[in-house]
Amino acid sequence: MKKYIRSRLIQTLVVLIGVTLLTFIMVNVAPGDAATVMTEKITDQAAIDRINAQLGLDKPYFVQYFLFLRNLVFFDFGTSYFKYKPVMQLIIEGFRVTGTLAVTIILFALVVGLAMGIMAALNRGKFWDQLIMGLSTLGMALPSFLLAILLQYIFGLKMQLLPLSGLTSWQGYVLPSVTMGMICAAEVARLTRTSMLDVLGQDYMRTATAKGISRQRIILVHGLKNALIPILTFLGNSFKAILGGAVLVETVFGLNGIGRLLVDAIMQRDTPIIQGVTVYIAMIFVLVNLGIDLFYGLIDPRIRLAKDND
Amino acid sequence: MKNKMQKQWLKLLTFFAAVTVFLVGCGGKGGSNGGDGEPKVLKYGRSATQMTTLDGQLSTTADVIQPARLVAEPLYTYDKDMNLTPLLAEDLPKTEDNTTYTVKLKEGVKFHDGSELKADDVVFTFTRLYTPETMSTNTFIADMIKGAHALLEGEADALVGVRALDDYTVEFELEDAYAPFPYVLGSEMTMIYPKEATEKAGADWGVTTFVGTGPYKFDEFVAADHFKAVKNEDYHGGEVHLDEMWIYNMDENTLAMEYEAGNINSALISNKMAGNYADSADLHKIEAMGIFEVVFNTAMEPLNDKNVRKAFAMAVDKEALVNSFLQGNATPATSAIPPKVLGHTDRPLTPADPEGAKKLLADNGYPDGVKISTWVIEGNELADAAVVLQEQLSKAGIDMEVNLVDRATYLDKRNAGEIQTVFRNWYKDYPDPDNFLYTFFHSNATPNRTPDWGKPETDELLSEGRRLPMEKREAHYEKIDKILVEDEVATVPLYYPVFHYLMNENIEGIVYVDGLLDFTHANVVSK
């Protein structure tokens, strides 16, 4: 297992270098730079050149990239050109918001999606199954911004139960989490239903029933545990995607998360933020993938054994 | 079995009821009128994605200037009729030759840190504007001051054109006569900062600390999210009624809902959104001092041909643009200088004549019409206007390709002179024709602003306009406007914009001054 983790960490390093290089190339190939955006109203070329020099954008590309890599070792991404704060501080502030959002969304999706999926599987072909599957289809088809505005309208404007936007209190997380959570829950419900139906027909389930184990225990311990792999894969991917920034939801609900930070930076060509957030997202993807793989091993001994043999 | 199910439902209902009761306890953002000893709070929202600093030397957008202006002030301001009036100065600047201006400061004006406004602070502010390390994006605003360019280029270490004659007297010396200079001293880009506090704050200035002489004091700033300011009890400009003043950046749909929910008291909304409130007494309309226009890159064919530019102008249906697309929320433009600005010419609106335009093209060697292109910023009002014009122009045989790009790409192409037809808007930095015409049509000012019109005759007239005494400038600018709009068709003015904002009926004292909502004497009252 240690060997496996070590090789994955080496892979991580290679991926990170590749990502930083690709990002650097893309940022520099894209038309427009920070100085152009910053000096929108200045017509004096000398002034534009001076600002370029002050930002270090006049140096040769390989020097800029080398300096970026050198600072990366110390997790120093520099200072934002437009937000006037160290990028690391901005990422930490954004992560607090997006990370909390990701956890609450996944928890919501897990609880609601699993419950709906199990209920649908146990009532296959009946009213509850059809209702739940209908709702989950609707949930997956509904665009997130529409759902967000709908929830804002009902719970924020009409009922005035929850804040419409902002994060002045923890309640500010409820509507954005439910918005994204409902969409994830819809997919989790479908996956759970399919997996559970597959598992419920297995011999070991009949054996468990014959042994007189309670129905609740059979479903949750024997059934759900074995049905969990595809669900975990989906939730892991969703978790990564949300941590990478839930731009729409963050924008509609006015949350200063990673998504908004990155999109604003791309629009303004705020290179330090673009590079910093890209590295952060790459790390999240690699680490969450590693976490998922390790977790597979915990719930499926066949995978654990295969890895041990590697 | 039925009993068991009922119990489960009951549990579920109880759970949801408990969650609901719990959530009801949470408060919104709502303002307060100060009843029962509560602070008087006004909350204002707008889309302000660029509200990333409060330092007015680093940005020209209202996203920054609007919150910054609560705290800091320039030497002059404007009354509701756009007449320049003293704010930190005793009276209007004195000048004999439009080259040297003397400003007498009010005595006893205090910054929020307790220090007194002195001439040294004014010298410091202007010096900071032109110090390269500041990386100011607004150096164009006062670069007529003697030595501004030298300081900016690193050839000098002081701004020789701004001098403190004594503690309360400042002298500005310009490179050349510039009649509208007093307006420059009323621009938010020249808000006066306290020397000591600004130097001490360094890079944190405008981010975690910001000190001025304004009606409100800096309290809390979260970039691109909100700014909270609190009452300045010692304000030199009269009583301030509000205890707290908040400005929020919000997505427009959210903004409207927050307003309707009563969580904010006032909101700046787009013209499109204003249609939803057409019958509401809360809706207020402001005629902004600005212009939306199309200008041509005459370095590129076929727009180097005046006849093509003329055909373009003939084909544009400004009335339809304003009445249909903008739902009447603008005024069709016929002059390159907006109304209420010296030199504005109130020409009659000529109806669109696509057939005439087609004939003009055919008579001048374009029997099959012409192909032109434009680049516009996606999501911008100008992008929508370009699409409307694309349809109108097609009737005259002008095939205009519209390319949608992001802001940075647009600016890159604009600076490189690669945009053939430029759709642009401009809101005044100060209410003088020089700010609208020199800025865009003088070769000194336009190298990075496509199109580089830069004709020697126009250059001479625009330079002369700067030097002329005020009383002779009106006729002069009317003449330049005629050349640009009628004779040369360097520009096709489209419309003069309006703003809309929503305001609760219990808000008083908000006035629109100099392109911004002025909250100095705003009040929340019980009705």
Side-chain angles (χ1 to χ4, degrees):
Chain A
M1 183 60 87
K2 276 183 192 164
K3 192 179 158 193
Y4 174 72
I5 294 175
R6 196 166 51 240
S7 77
R8 287 296 296 265
L9 288 175
I10 292 168
Q11 277 176 26
T12 304
L13 196 65
V14 174
V15 168
L16 280 181
I17 291 173
V19 164
T20 56
L21 187 60
L22 271 176
T23 311
F24 184 82
I25 292 169
M26 281 192 284
V27 165
N28 285 295
V29 164
D33 54 32
T36 308
V37 177
M38 212 178 267
T39 57
E40 182 175 355
K41 288 178 92 173
I42 298 180
T43 56
D44 175 4
Q45 188 57 43
I48 296 172
D49 293 344
R50 190 177 42 255
I51 287 182
N52 257 320
Q54 281 173 291
L55 296 178
L57 297 173
D58 62 332
K59 293 187 173 75
Y61 287 138
F62 73 90
V63 175
Q64 288 184 47
Y65 183 63
F66 172 76
L67 289 173
F68 165 68
L69 280 185
R70 191 195 63 184
N71 294 338
L72 179 63
V73 175
F74 304 102
F75 285 96
D76 176 10
F77 298 111
T79 302
S80 159
Y81 298 153
F82 294 91
K83 291 192 161 56
Y84 313 101
K85 279 184 177 179
V87 172
M88 201 59 204
Q89 187 187 338
L90 291 168
I91 291 177
I92 290 168
E93 287 169 7
F95 179 74
R96 277 194 201 123
V97 175
T98 306
T100 310
L101 202 58
V103 170
T104 51
I105 289 168
I106 295 301
L107 281 178
F108 181 90
L110 199 64
V111 173
V112 176
L114 281 181
M116 284 169 71
I118 293 170
M119 197 165 170
L122 295 179
N123 293 281
R124 188 183 184 184
K126 293 178 190 165
F127 169 74
W128 285 110
D129 184 24
Q130 286 167 351
L131 180 72
I132 289 168
M133 284 305 99
L135 283 175
S136 87
T137 307
L138 186 70
M140 285 190 294
L142 212 57
S144 59
F145 74 91
L146 192 66
L147 189 59
I149 292 172
L150 202 68
L151 291 175
Q152 275 183 323
Y153 182 77
I154 297 169
F155 296 102
L157 179 59
K158 289 294 161 192
M159 298 171 76
Q160 304 225 342
L161 285 175
L162 292 160
L164 275 158
S165 67
L167 279 177
T168 47
S169 64
W170 64 267
Q171 287 99 330
Y173 281 108
V174 177
L175 288 184
S177 304
V178 173
T179 302
M180 293 282 285
M182 277 171 78
I183 292 163
C184 283
E187 184 65 42
V188 170
R190 294 190 78 84
L191 285 170
T192 309
R193 178 184 178 274
T194 312
S195 297
M196 281 300 287
L197 285 176
D198 185 38
V199 169
L200 286 173
Q202 298 290 326
D203 291 344
Y204 60 83
M205 294 296 280
R206 276 197 292 276
T207 309
T209 313
K211 282 163 78 177
I213 300 171
S214 72
R215 183 168 165 76
Q216 208 173 6
R217 190 173 160 78
I218 293 170
I219 291 167
L220 293 179
V221 177
H222 297 268
L224 189 60
K225 190 180 171 190
N226 289 299
L228 222 48
I229 294 259
I231 299 161
L232 276 181
T233 310
F234 169 74
L235 285 176
N237 286 334
S238 302
F239 192 64
K240 286 185 296 191
I242 299 163
L243 282 178
V247 182
L248 263 172
V249 168
E250 286 174 9
T251 305
V252 172
F253 290 102
L255 311 177
N256 280 331
I258 291 289
R260 255 177 125 188
L261 183 68
L262 181 59
V263 169
D264 287 351
I266 291 171
M267 291 300 169
Q268 295 178 310
R269 304 291 192 267
D270 198 338
T271 315
I273 293 186
I274 297 173
Q275 287 174 332
V277 173
T278 312
V279 169
Y280 151 82
I281 291 174
M283 282 182 76
I284 289 286
F285 268 65
V286 172
L287 292 176
V288 173
N289 276 346
L290 182 64
I292 293 170
D293 284 356
L294 295 176
F295 201 66
Y296 282 162
L298 287 179
I299 59 172
D300 190 338
R302 290 169 299 181
I303 297 173
R304 187 164 59 227
L305 285 172
K307 279 177 188 167
D308 286 343
N309 291 336
D310 277 347
Chain B
M1 183 72 178
K2 197 179 173 188
N3 231 352
K4 196 178 168 190
M5 211 167 165
Q6 276 176 343
K7 271 185 189 170
Q8 279 177 342
W9 273 112
L10 202 64
K11 274 184 193 168
L12 203 66
L13 281 175
T14 314
F15 171 73
F16 279 115
V19 169
T20 306
V21 169
F22 188 53
L23 292 177
V24 163
C26 75
K29 295 189 178 79
S32 161
N33 65 10
D36 299 329
E38 282 185 12
K40 280 194 176 186
V41 180
L42 195 153
K43 299 192 169 187
Y44 169 71
R46 55 175 290 153
S47 173
T49 52
Q50 294 182 57
M51 188 176 71
T52 53
T53 176
L54 298 173
D55 186 350
Q57 295 191 351
L58 300 185
S59 178
T60 59
T61 73
D63 293 9
V64 172
I65 300 294
Q66 179 76 72
R69 186 62 180 76
L70 298 174
V71 175
E73 298 173 313
L75 293 169
Y76 296 90
T77 186
Y78 296 88
D79 64 16
K80 61 181 171 48
D81 299 318
M82 287 306 286
N83 296 310
L84 196 71
T85 52
L87 186 59
L88 297 176
E90 280 287 353
D91 44 26
L92 292 176
K94 301 271 191 299
T95 183
E96 298 285 327
D97 54 4
N98 290 338
T99 305
T100 304
Y101 290 84
T102 310
V103 174
K104 187 86 183 157
L105 300 179
K106 274 187 195 171
E107 292 187 25
V109 174
K110 293 274 175 64
F111 286 107
H112 303 150
D113 63 357
S115 61
E116 191 187 359
L117 168 72
K118 296 275 181 70
D120 280 345
D121 298 309
V122 178
V123 176
F124 165 76
T125 298
F126 281 87
T127 305
R128 182 179 185 266
L129 184 64
Y130 290 96
T131 301
E133 287 71 31
T134 306
M135 287 175 67
S136 173
T137 55
N138 301 338
T139 49
F140 65 93
I141 192 73
D143 61 358
M144 64 293 288
I145 293 175
K146 192 171 186 179
H149 283 286
L151 178 57
L152 203 52
E153 304 305 332
E155 294 159 5
D157 51 12
L159 185 59
V160 293
V162 185
R163 297 180 286 268
L165 300 184
D166 59 45
D167 275 356
Y168 302 103
T169 312
V170 187
E171 186 177 74
F172 293 89
E173 187 187 347
L174 311 185
E175 297 279 4
D176 201 353
Y178 188 59
F181 184 70
Y183 291 136
V184 171
L185 304 179
S187 163
E188 290 81 11
M189 296 172 221
T190 61
M191 289 183 291
I192 305 302
Y193 298 155
K195 182 173 187 285
E196 199 177 315
T198 313
E199 285 179 337
K200 191 178 163 195
D204 291 333
W205 184 251
V207 183
T208 57
T209 177
F210 194 55
V211 178
T213 52
Y216 301 94
K217 296 192 275 190
F218 177 98
D219 189 69
E220 182 182 304
F221 178 59
V222 178
D225 191 80
H226 71 266
F227 172 55
K228 179 190 170 194
V230 295
K231 182 197 270 193
N232 174 12
E233 302 280 359
D234 296 325
Y235 183 52
H236 64 91
E239 190 188 352
V240 179
H241 305 291
L242 299 174
D243 295 299
E244 291 176 16
M245 174 71 216
W246 296 66
I247 295 183
Y248 290 95
N249 165 38
M250 284 178 195
D251 163 75
E252 198 181 31
N253 285 311
T254 308
L255 185 67
M257 279 197 264
E258 290 280 17
Y259 180 79
E260 286 181 27
N263 294 333
I264 54 175
N265 321 77
S266 184
L268 187 76
I269 56 171
S270 69
N271 292 336
K272 281 182 192 166
M273 183 71 84
N276 300 339
Y277 298 92
D279 301 325
S280 169
D282 288 4
L283 184 67
H284 299 264
K285 185 174 173 176
I286 299 162
E287 287 183 1
M289 200 173 267
I291 187 168
F292 281 59
E293 63 187 329
V294 181
V295 285
F296 306 107
N297 189 339
T298 53
M300 295 170 91
E301 289 184 338
L303 292 166
N304 55 339
D305 185 338
K306 189 165 74 182
N307 291 304
V308 176
R309 303 198 296 270
K310 210 165 192 169
F312 186 108
M314 287 165 75
V316 173
D317 189 344
K318 296 175 191 174
E319 207 157 10
L321 181 71
V322 167
N323 293 334
S324 304
F325 163 60
L326 294 165
Q327 300 172 326
N329 288 318
T331 309
T334 54
S335 167
I337 303 169
K340 295 181 186 169
V341 178
L342 181 130
H344 168 77
T345 308
D346 198 9
R347 296 185 181 86
L349 187 63
T350 319
D353 181 11
E355 287 307 316
K358 200 182 265 184
K359 185 172 180 306
L360 181 66
L361 287 175
D363 291 348
N364 286 281
Y366 307 98
D368 302 323
V370 290
K371 276 187 178 239
I372 55 174
S373 67
T374 188
W375 295 73
V376 281
I377 301 168
E378 196 175 7
N380 191 301
E381 184 175 310
L382 284 162
D384 295 338
V387 173
V388 175
L389 256 65
Q390 184 183 39
E391 170 65 21
Q392 293 180 357
L393 294 169
S394 67
K395 292 175 191 163
I398 301 172
D399 179 9
M400 184 172 72
E401 180 186 287
V402 178
N403 300 285
L404 296 168
V405 287
D406 71 332
R407 185 171 207 82
T409 306
Y410 168 80
L411 292 172
D412 193 56
K413 293 197 84 65
R414 184 200 72 172
N415 288 5
E418 291 171 1
I419 303 182
Q420 203 173 21
T421 316
V422 178
F423 283 72
R424 73 163 171 235
N425 57 349
W426 184 259
Y427 295 94
K428 63 114 204 59
D429 294 313
Y430 43 90
D432 191 85
D434 184 70
N435 188 233
F436 289 89
L437 301 189
Y438 188 95
T439 311
F440 289 106
F441 298 102
H442 194 289
S443 52
N444 277 355
T446 54
N448 282 312
R449 290 180 183 131
T450 306
D452 187 3
W453 176 251
K455 302 279 186 287
E457 320 82 73
T458 332
D459 277 4
E460 182 48 42
L461 287 169
L462 288 166
S463 297
E464 194 187 342
R466 296 189 132 196
R467 292 189 293 266
L468 283 176
M470 270 297 177
E471 60 276 11
K472 291 189 179 168
R473 296 178 74 229
E474 183 159 14
H476 187 78
Y477 279 101
E478 283 172 356
K479 182 178 161 189
I480 302 175
D481 186 64
K482 183 176 176 297
I483 293 170
L484 295 173
V485 177
E486 293 180 33
D487 303 345
E488 292 293 335
V489 201
T491 170
V492 177
L494 296 177
Y495 58 89
Y496 306 119
V498 296
F499 286 136
H500 283 98
Y501 69 99
L502 296 166
M503 185 173 78
N504 287 159
E505 58 173 2
N506 60 341
I507 304 290
E508 287 179 349
I510 297 182
V511 280
Y512 179 74
V513 176
D514 190 24
L516 302 171
L517 292 177
D518 181 0
F519 296 97
T520 303
H521 299 298
N523 201 358
V524 188
V525 294
S526 301
K527 279 194 178 171

